[in-house]
Coordinates of all heavy atoms in Angstrom, one line a residue:
D231 N -103.6 -1.1 -40.6 CA -103.3 0.0 -41.6 C -104.4 0.1 -42.6 O -105.1 -0.8 -42.9 CB -101.9 -0.2 -42.3 CG -101.3 1.0 -42.8 OD1 -102.0 2.1 -42.7 OD2 -100.2 1.0 -43.4
S232 N -104.5 1.3 -43.2 CA -105.6 1.5 -44.2 C -105.3 0.7 -45.5 O -104.1 0.6 -45.9 CB -105.7 3.0 -44.6 OG -106.6 3.2 -45.6
R233 N -106.3 0.2 -46.1 CA -106.2 -0.5 -47.3 C -106.5 0.4 -48.5 O -106.3 -0.1 -49.7 CB -107.1 -1.8 -47.4 CG -106.7 -2.8 -46.4 CD -107.7 -4.0 -46.4 NE -108.9 -3.6 -45.7 CZ -109.9 -4.4 -45.3 NH1 -109.8 -5.7 -45.7 NH2 -111.0 -4.0 -44.7
M234 N -107.0 1.6 -48.3 CA -107.4 2.4 -49.4 C -106.3 3.4 -49.7 O -105.8 4.1 -48.8 CB -108.7 3.2 -49.1 CG -109.9 2.3 -48.9 SD -110.3 1.4 -50.5 CE -110.8 2.8 -51.5
K235 N -106.0 3.6 -51.0 CA -105.0 4.6 -51.4 C -105.6 6.0 -51.2 O -104.9 6.9 -50.8 CB -104.7 4.4 -52.9 CG -104.1 3.1 -53.3 CD -103.9 2.9 -54.8 CE -103.4 1.6 -55.1 NZ -103.3 1.3 -56.6
D236 N -106.9 6.2 -51.4 CA -107.5 7.5 -51.2 C -108.4 7.4 -50.0 O -109.6 6.9 -50.1 CB -108.3 7.9 -52.5 CG -109.1 9.2 -52.3 OD1 -108.7 9.9 -51.3 OD2 -109.9 9.5 -53.1
E237 N -107.9 7.8 -48.9 CA -108.7 7.6 -47.6 C -109.9 8.6 -47.6 O -110.7 8.5 -46.7 CB -107.8 7.8 -46.4 CG -106.7 6.8 -46.3 CD -106.0 6.8 -45.0 OE1 -106.6 7.2 -44.0 OE2 -104.7 6.6 -45.0
S238 N -109.9 9.6 -48.5 CA -111.0 10.5 -48.5 C -112.2 10.0 -49.2 O -113.3 10.5 -49.2 CB -110.6 11.8 -49.1 OG -110.3 11.6 -50.5
S239 N -112.0 8.8 -49.9 CA -113.2 8.2 -50.7 C -114.3 7.9 -49.7 O -114.1 7.4 -48.6 CB -112.7 7.0 -51.4 OG -113.8 6.3 -52.0
T240 N -115.5 8.2 -50.2 CA -116.7 7.9 -49.4 C -117.5 6.7 -49.9 O -118.7 6.6 -49.6 CB -117.6 9.1 -49.2 OG1 -117.9 9.6 -50.5 CG2 -116.9 10.2 -48.5
V241 N -116.9 5.9 -50.8 CA -117.6 4.8 -51.4 C -117.6 3.7 -50.3 O -117.1 2.6 -50.5 CB -117.0 4.3 -52.7 CG1 -117.8 3.2 -53.3 CG2 -116.8 5.5 -53.6
G242 N -118.2 3.9 -49.1 CA -118.2 2.9 -48.1 C -116.8 2.7 -47.6 O -115.9 2.3 -48.4
S243 N -116.5 2.9 -46.3 CA -115.1 2.7 -45.9 C -114.8 1.3 -45.5 O -115.5 0.7 -44.6 CB -114.8 3.6 -44.6 OG -113.5 3.4 -44.1
I244 N -113.9 0.6 -46.2 CA -113.6 -0.8 -45.8 C -112.7 -0.9 -44.6 O -112.4 -2.0 -44.2 CB -113.0 -1.5 -47.0 CG1 -111.6 -0.8 -47.4 CG2 -113.9 -1.5 -48.2 CD1 -110.9 -1.6 -48.5
D245 N -112.3 0.3 -44.1 CA -111.4 0.3 -42.9 C -112.2 0.7 -41.7 O -111.5 0.9 -40.6 CB -110.2 1.3 -43.2 CG -109.3 0.8 -44.3 OD1 -108.9 -0.4 -44.3 OD2 -109.0 1.6 -45.2
N246 N -113.5 0.8 -41.8 CA -114.3 1.3 -40.6 C -114.9 0.0 -40.0 O -116.1 -0.3 -40.2 CB -115.3 2.2 -41.1 CG -116.0 2.9 -39.9 OD1 -115.4 3.0 -38.8 ND2 -117.2 3.5 -40.1
F247 N -114.1 -0.7 -39.2 CA -114.6 -2.0 -38.6 C -113.8 -2.3 -37.3 O -112.8 -1.7 -37.1 CB -114.4 -3.1 -39.6 CG -113.0 -3.5 -39.9 CD1 -112.4 -4.5 -39.2 CD2 -112.3 -2.8 -40.9 CE1 -111.0 -4.8 -39.4 CE2 -111.0 -3.1 -41.1 CZ -110.3 -4.1 -40.4
V248 N -114.4 -3.2 -36.6 CA -113.7 -3.7 -35.4 C -113.9 -5.2 -35.4 O -114.9 -5.8 -35.7 CB -114.4 -3.2 -34.1 CG1 -113.9 -3.9 -32.8 CG2 -114.3 -1.7 -34.0
V249 N -112.8 -6.0 -35.1 CA -112.8 -7.4 -35.1 C -112.4 -7.9 -33.7 O -111.5 -7.4 -33.1 CB -111.9 -8.0 -36.2 CG1 -110.5 -7.6 -36.0 CG2 -112.0 -9.5 -36.2
V250 N -113.2 -8.9 -33.2 CA -112.9 -9.5 -31.9 C -112.7 -11.0 -32.1 O -113.2 -11.6 -33.1 CB -114.0 -9.2 -30.9 CG1 -114.1 -7.7 -30.6 CG2 -115.3 -9.9 -31.3
P251 N -112.1 -11.8 -31.2 CA -112.0 -13.2 -31.4 C -113.4 -13.9 -31.5 O -114.3 -13.4 -30.8 CB -111.3 -13.7 -30.1 CG -110.5 -12.5 -29.6 CD -111.4 -11.3 -30.0
Y252 N -113.5 -14.9 -32.3 CA -114.8 -15.5 -32.5 C -115.3 -16.2 -31.2 O -116.5 -16.4 -31.0 CB -114.9 -16.4 -33.7 CG -114.1 -17.7 -33.5 CD1 -114.7 -18.9 -33.0 CD2 -112.8 -17.8 -33.9 CE1 -114.0 -20.1 -32.9 CE2 -112.1 -19.0 -33.8 CZ -112.7 -20.1 -33.3 OH -112.0 -21.3 -33.2
T253 N -114.4 -16.5 -30.3 CA -114.8 -17.1 -29.0 C -115.4 -16.1 -28.1 O -116.0 -16.5 -27.0 CB -113.6 -17.8 -28.4 OG1 -112.4 -16.9 -28.4 CG2 -113.2 -19.0 -29.1
A254 N -115.3 -14.8 -28.4 CA -115.9 -13.7 -27.6 C -117.4 -13.8 -27.7 O -118.1 -13.1 -27.0 CB -115.4 -12.4 -28.0
K255 N -117.9 -14.6 -28.6 CA -119.3 -14.8 -28.8 C -119.9 -15.4 -27.5 O -121.1 -15.2 -27.2 CB -119.6 -15.8 -29.9 CG -121.0 -15.9 -30.3 CD -121.2 -16.9 -31.5 CE -120.4 -16.3 -32.7 NZ -120.6 -17.1 -33.9
R256 N -119.1 -16.0 -26.7 CA -119.6 -16.5 -25.4 C -120.2 -15.4 -24.5 O -121.1 -15.7 -23.7 CB -118.4 -17.2 -24.7 CG -118.8 -17.9 -23.4 CD -117.7 -18.6 -22.7 NE -116.7 -17.7 -22.3 CZ -115.6 -18.0 -21.5 NH1 -115.4 -19.2 -21.1 NH2 -114.7 -17.1 -21.1
V257 N -119.6 -14.2 -24.6 CA -120.1 -13.1 -23.7 C -120.9 -12.1 -24.5 O -121.7 -11.4 -24.0 CB -118.9 -12.4 -23.0 CG1 -118.2 -13.3 -22.0 CG2 -117.9 -11.9 -24.1
L258 N -120.7 -12.0 -25.8 CA -121.4 -11.0 -26.7 C -122.6 -11.6 -27.3 O -123.5 -10.9 -27.7 CB -120.4 -10.5 -27.8 CG -119.3 -9.7 -27.3 CD1 -118.4 -9.3 -28.4 CD2 -119.8 -8.4 -26.6
G259 N -122.7 -12.9 -27.4 CA -123.9 -13.6 -28.0 C -123.8 -13.6 -29.5 O -122.9 -13.0 -30.2
G260 N -124.8 -14.1 -30.1 CA -124.9 -14.2 -31.6 C -125.1 -15.6 -32.1 O -124.9 -16.6 -31.3
D261 N -125.5 -15.7 -33.4 CA -125.8 -17.0 -33.9 C -124.5 -17.8 -34.2 O -123.4 -17.2 -34.2 CB -126.5 -16.9 -35.3 CG -127.9 -16.3 -35.0 OD1 -128.4 -16.4 -33.9 OD2 -128.5 -15.7 -36.0
T262 N -124.6 -19.1 -34.5 CA -123.4 -19.9 -34.9 C -122.8 -19.3 -36.2 O -123.6 -18.9 -37.1 CB -123.9 -21.3 -35.1 OG1 -124.5 -21.8 -33.9 CG2 -122.7 -22.2 -35.5
D263 N -121.5 -19.2 -36.2 CA -120.9 -18.7 -37.4 C -121.3 -19.5 -38.7 O -121.3 -20.7 -38.7 CB -119.3 -18.8 -37.3 CG -118.8 -17.8 -36.3 OD1 -119.2 -16.7 -36.3 OD2 -117.9 -18.3 -35.4
S264 N -121.6 -18.7 -39.7 CA -122.1 -19.4 -41.0 C -121.4 -18.8 -42.2 O -121.4 -19.4 -43.3 CB -123.6 -19.2 -41.1 OG -123.9 -17.8 -41.2
S265 N -120.6 -17.7 -42.0 CA -119.9 -17.1 -43.2 C -118.4 -17.1 -42.9 O -118.0 -16.6 -41.8 CB -120.4 -15.7 -43.4 OG -119.8 -15.1 -44.4
F266 N -117.7 -17.6 -43.8 CA -116.2 -17.8 -43.6 C -115.5 -17.3 -44.9 O -116.0 -17.3 -46.0 CB -115.8 -19.2 -43.3 CG -116.7 -19.9 -42.3 CD1 -117.8 -20.7 -42.7 CD2 -116.4 -19.7 -41.0 CE1 -118.6 -21.3 -41.7 CE2 -117.2 -20.3 -40.0 CZ -118.3 -21.1 -40.4
T267 N -114.2 -16.9 -44.7 CA -113.3 -16.5 -45.8 C -112.1 -17.4 -45.8 O -111.5 -17.6 -44.7 CB -112.9 -15.0 -45.6 OG1 -114.1 -14.2 -45.7 CG2 -112.0 -14.7 -46.7
V268 N -111.8 -17.9 -46.9 CA -110.6 -18.7 -47.1 C -109.7 -18.0 -48.1 O -110.2 -17.5 -49.1 CB -110.9 -20.2 -47.6 CG1 -109.6 -21.0 -47.8 CG2 -111.8 -20.9 -46.6
V269 N -108.4 -17.9 -47.9 CA -107.5 -17.2 -48.8 C -106.5 -18.2 -49.3 O -105.8 -18.9 -48.6 CB -106.8 -16.1 -48.1 CG1 -105.8 -15.4 -49.0 CG2 -107.8 -15.0 -47.6
A270 N -106.4 -18.3 -50.7 CA -105.5 -19.1 -51.3 C -104.1 -18.5 -51.5 O -104.0 -17.2 -51.5 CB -106.0 -19.5 -52.7
K271 N -103.1 -19.3 -51.5 CA -101.7 -18.7 -51.8 C -101.6 -18.1 -53.1 O -101.0 -17.1 -53.3 CB -100.7 -19.9 -51.6 CG -100.2 -20.1 -50.2 CD -99.0 -21.0 -50.1 CE -98.5 -21.1 -48.7 NZ -97.3 -22.0 -48.6
N272 N -102.2 -18.8 -54.1 CA -102.1 -18.4 -55.5 C -103.5 -18.4 -56.1 O -104.3 -19.4 -55.8 CB -101.1 -19.2 -56.3 CG -99.7 -19.2 -55.8 OD1 -99.1 -18.2 -55.7 ND2 -99.3 -20.4 -55.3
V273 N -103.8 -17.5 -57.0 CA -105.1 -17.5 -57.7 C -105.2 -18.8 -58.5 O -106.3 -19.3 -58.7 CB -105.2 -16.3 -58.7 CG1 -106.5 -16.3 -59.5 CG2 -105.1 -15.0 -57.9
E274 N -104.1 -19.3 -59.0 CA -104.2 -20.5 -59.9 C -104.6 -21.8 -59.1 O -105.1 -22.7 -59.6 CB -102.8 -20.9 -60.5 CG -102.3 -19.8 -61.4 CD -101.7 -18.6 -60.7 OE1 -101.5 -18.6 -59.5 OE2 -101.5 -17.5 -61.4
D275 N -104.5 -21.7 -57.7 CA -104.9 -22.8 -56.9 C -106.4 -22.8 -56.5 O -106.9 -23.7 -55.8 CB -104.0 -22.9 -55.6 CG -102.6 -23.1 -55.9 OD1 -102.3 -23.8 -56.9 OD2 -101.7 -22.6 -55.2
M276 N -107.1 -21.7 -56.8 CA -108.4 -21.5 -56.2 C -109.4 -22.6 -56.7 O -110.2 -23.1 -55.9 CB -108.9 -20.1 -56.6 CG -108.2 -19.0 -55.9 SD -108.7 -17.4 -56.3 CE -110.3 -17.3 -55.5
E277 N -109.3 -23.0 -57.9 CA -110.2 -24.1 -58.4 C -110.0 -25.4 -57.7 O -111.0 -26.0 -57.3 CB -109.9 -24.3 -59.9 CG -110.9 -25.2 -60.6 CD -110.7 -25.3 -62.1 OE1 -110.1 -24.4 -62.7 OE2 -111.3 -26.3 -62.7
E278 N -108.8 -25.8 -57.4 CA -108.5 -27.0 -56.6 C -109.0 -26.9 -55.2 O -109.6 -27.8 -54.6 CB -107.0 -27.3 -56.7 CG -106.7 -28.6 -55.9 CD -105.2 -28.9 -55.9 OE1 -104.5 -28.3 -56.6 OE2 -104.8 -29.8 -55.1
I279 N -108.8 -25.7 -54.6 CA -109.2 -25.5 -53.2 C -110.8 -25.6 -53.1 O -111.3 -26.2 -52.2 CB -108.7 -24.1 -52.7 CG1 -107.2 -24.1 -52.6 CG2 -109.3 -23.8 -51.3 CD1 -106.6 -22.8 -52.3
V280 N -111.5 -24.9 -54.1 CA -112.9 -25.0 -54.1 C -113.4 -26.4 -54.2 O -114.3 -26.8 -53.5 CB -113.5 -24.1 -55.2 CG1 -115.0 -24.3 -55.4 CG2 -113.2 -22.6 -55.0

Side-chain angles (χ1 to χ4, degrees):
D231 200 359
S232 174
R233 289 174 289 187
M234 293 299 293
K235 297 175 184 175
D236 179 11
E237 294 189 36
S238 65
S239 172
T240 57
V241 186
S243 176
I244 62 173
D245 295 312
N246 193 21
F247 68 93
V248 171
V249 59
V250 300
Y252 71 89
T253 48
K255 190 177 298 183
R256 184 179 66 170
V257 294
L258 293 174
D261 296 336
T262 302
D263 290 316
S264 60
S265 178
F266 312 96
T267 297
V268 179
V269 177
K271 273 190 176 180
N272 302 297
V273 175
E274 295 78 14
D275 297 327
M276 292 178 73
E277 187 174 343
E278 181 181 349
I279 294 170
V280 169

